[in-house]
Amino acid sequence: MTSTFKLLLLFFITAVVSCSPKHDLIVNCTNPEIQYWGRIDTTKTDAAELYWSGTSILLNFEGSAVSAMFDEERGDNYYNVIIDNDSLFVFHPDTVQHSYTLAEGLSEGPHQIEIFKRTEWDRGWSRFYGFKIEGASKVLPKPPSKKRKIEFYGNSITAGYAVDDFSGRDRSDSIFTNNYLSYAKLTADHFDAEYRCICKSGIGITISWFPLIMPELYNRLDPADPESRWDFSRYSPDLVVINLFQNDSWLVENPRHDEFKRQFGTEKPTDEFIIEKYADFVRSIRKEYPSTPIICMLGNMDATREGSRWPGLVEAAVKRVGDSEIYTFFEPYKNSPGHPTIAEQQTMAKHLSAFIEENINW
């Protein structure tokens, strides 16, 4: 082989390689440029495990298409997919591990993909294994941390239960729950704050519709595991909002309910008992966050109906804790059936945001 032929062959190979498309890029779940929000188990090397409403996964990248590898415990979870801050569609992973195309035909230049968990933890866990980026692919640095962080503790109101059910029937199918449209998420967005949500439909502080109360749940990483514990040192919010007691207000008046019998026996709890239990829960949050302002909120369902004693019980509990950085805020009764609609969630967010702007120095 002559030297001239070798040079021509080398030129031909170089030209072919340079004209070939770049290989797809696999981004493992442990990649440090993936941004995780919420209580997510990221200790495993093969998958990140998601449980709570409002948890999210975000990646900045370059490429023409992006997909994600997921599987599910039950196949009952739904996610919002947001590309470049524009909502695309509802993503519904299966119980079989599978790669799902989330966006394609993307233009050249930087893009951002976010996967946001709409549904509650009782629908089972989700496992995220990583992204695949196609085309001229590149992982870009994750966004800088938000200047503000808000953590919410709540029930179905905070979860966004049935907010996407436009039939008026308040259906429990998980497709109708959408934490993305809850007052909690909307309030966090108003302040451009990092968002955390610890919630469960039907839960209370003294009693729930099932055998689990918030004082037993608030400190878990995996909410379905009684032995699981969240490390509070990993996240310190600038503000905590507690919106509980709606379910207590129903169930303490229902002595025939199994949970009433289990929690209270045959006697209705006294106001003193209820006040102390609420104060104890607030003290538990204060222990984890010694200097964080806390808003003890109630509303907008019938626990704040005119004449309700429940706002007074919250006020009494906060007074008992005796902390100048703990506030009360009561959203007026919405005076409509069922759970809050999108418009009613938006009204709550507007009122809560105004209260925060007026009272919280952060």
Side-chain angles (χ1 to χ4, degrees), residues 248-256 260 268-269 309-310:
D248 305 70
S249 73
W250 275 76
L251 287 165
V252 298
E253 304 296 335
N254 192 352
R256 295 184 178 182
F260 183 103
K268 286 177 59 175
R309 80 182 200 273
W310 290 89

Side-chain angles (χ1 to χ4, degrees), residues 193-318:
E194 183 176 335
Y195 171 60
R196 300 255 173 147
C197 187
I198 310 303
C199 66
K200 174 70 180 72
S201 292
I203 205 163
I205 286 180
T206 66
I207 185 172
S208 305
W209 293 93
F210 40 80
L212 180 67
I213 54 177
M214 185 58 83
E216 299 167 332
L217 177 70
Y218 80 99
N219 60 355
R220 297 183 186 179
L221 168 58
D222 179 351
D225 180 2
E227 303 302 318
S228 177
R229 288 293 176 267
W230 169 249
D231 179 1
F232 281 91
S233 68
R234 293 179 58 188
Y235 176 81
S236 182
D238 301 297
L239 177 64
V240 169
V241 179
I242 300 169
N243 188 359
L244 294 162
F245 259 1
Q246 173 62 41
N247 294 300
D248 305 70
S249 73
W250 275 76
L251 287 165
V252 298
E253 304 296 335
N254 192 352
R256 295 184 178 182
H257 196 280
D258 287 343
E259 287 308 306
F260 183 103
K261 297 174 185 176
R262 193 176 73 86
Q263 294 284 359
F264 312 129
T266 59
E267 298 293 327
K268 286 177 59 175
T270 64
D271 284 0
E272 168 62 26
F273 174 87
I274 294 169
I275 290 167
E276 186 58 24
K277 288 296 183 182
Y278 192 101
D280 276 346
F281 178 67
V282 176
R283 292 183 190 112
S284 297
I285 300 299
R286 170 55 76 227
K287 180 181 177 182
E288 303 298 347
Y289 306 130
S291 60
T292 299
I294 299 172
I295 297 175
C296 294
M297 174 181 176
L298 188 60
N300 62 356
M301 295 176 73
D302 57 8
T304 54
R305 187 195 297 266
E306 185 176 354
S308 169
R309 80 182 200 273
W310 290 89
L313 297 178
V314 173
E315 288 178 327
V318 169

Side-chain angles (χ1 to χ4, degrees), residues 68-277:
M69 182 75 73
F70 265 84
D71 64 13
E72 281 275 319
E73 182 179 8
R74 302 177 192 170
D76 286 340
N77 280 306
Y78 292 86
Y79 290 80
N80 287 350
V81 174
I82 302 103
I83 184 77
D84 298 335
N85 296 311
D86 185 19
S87 186
L88 286 183
F89 62 93
V90 178
F91 164 50
H92 181 204
D94 197 357
T95 55
V96 178
Q97 185 176 327
H98 187 69
S99 181
Y100 298 86
T101 299
L102 303 181
E104 54 189 346
L106 299 174
S107 60
E108 292 185 10
H111 297 283
Q112 184 178 92
I113 188 81
E114 181 182 2
I115 308 171
F116 181 96
K117 191 172 187 291
R118 300 160 51 105
T119 41
E120 299 187 56
W121 61 263
D122 61 338
R123 301 296 178 168
W125 48 254
S126 302
R127 288 188 180 130
F128 164 71
Y129 297 88
F131 290 104
K132 182 176 77 171
I133 308 171
E134 299 178 29
S137 52
K138 181 193 297 185
V139 173
L140 301 177
K142 63 185 176 184
S145 298
K146 299 284 189 181
K147 293 181 179 180
R148 291 167 169 167
K149 303 180 180 70
I150 308 181
E151 185 166 82
F152 289 81
Y153 293 83
N155 49 40
S156 56
I157 300 171
T158 304
Y161 176 91
V163 71
D164 273 345
D165 183 2
F166 306 115
S167 71
R169 289 183 282 167
D170 230 26
R171 287 174 286 181
S172 62
D173 190 306
S174 57
I175 185 60
F176 302 117
T177 294
N178 189 355
N179 187 253
Y180 198 77
L181 298 178
S182 72
Y183 78 91
K185 177 62 164 62
L186 296 175
T187 301
D189 287 348
H190 175 82
F191 291 103
D192 190 29
E194 183 176 335
Y195 171 60
R196 300 255 173 147
C197 187
I198 310 303
C199 66
K200 174 70 180 72
S201 292
I203 205 163
I205 286 180
T206 66
I207 185 172
S208 305
W209 293 93
F210 40 80
L212 180 67
I213 54 177
M214 185 58 83
E216 299 167 332
L217 177 70
Y218 80 99
N219 60 355
R220 297 183 186 179
L221 168 58
D222 179 351
D225 180 2
E227 303 302 318
S228 177
R229 288 293 176 267
W230 169 249
D231 179 1
F232 281 91
S233 68
R234 293 179 58 188
Y235 176 81
S236 182
D238 301 297
L239 177 64
V240 169
V241 179
I242 300 169
N243 188 359
L244 294 162
F245 259 1
Q246 173 62 41
N247 294 300
D248 305 70
S249 73
W250 275 76
L251 287 165
V252 298
E253 304 296 335
N254 192 352
R256 295 184 178 182
H257 196 280
D258 287 343
E259 287 308 306
F260 183 103
K261 297 174 185 176
R262 193 176 73 86
Q263 294 284 359
F264 312 129
T266 59
E267 298 293 327
K268 286 177 59 175
T270 64
D271 284 0
E272 168 62 26
F273 174 87
I274 294 169
I275 290 167
E276 186 58 24
K277 288 296 183 182

Side-chain angles (χ1 to χ4, degrees), residues 52 61 82 311:
W52 297 95
F61 69 97
I82 302 103

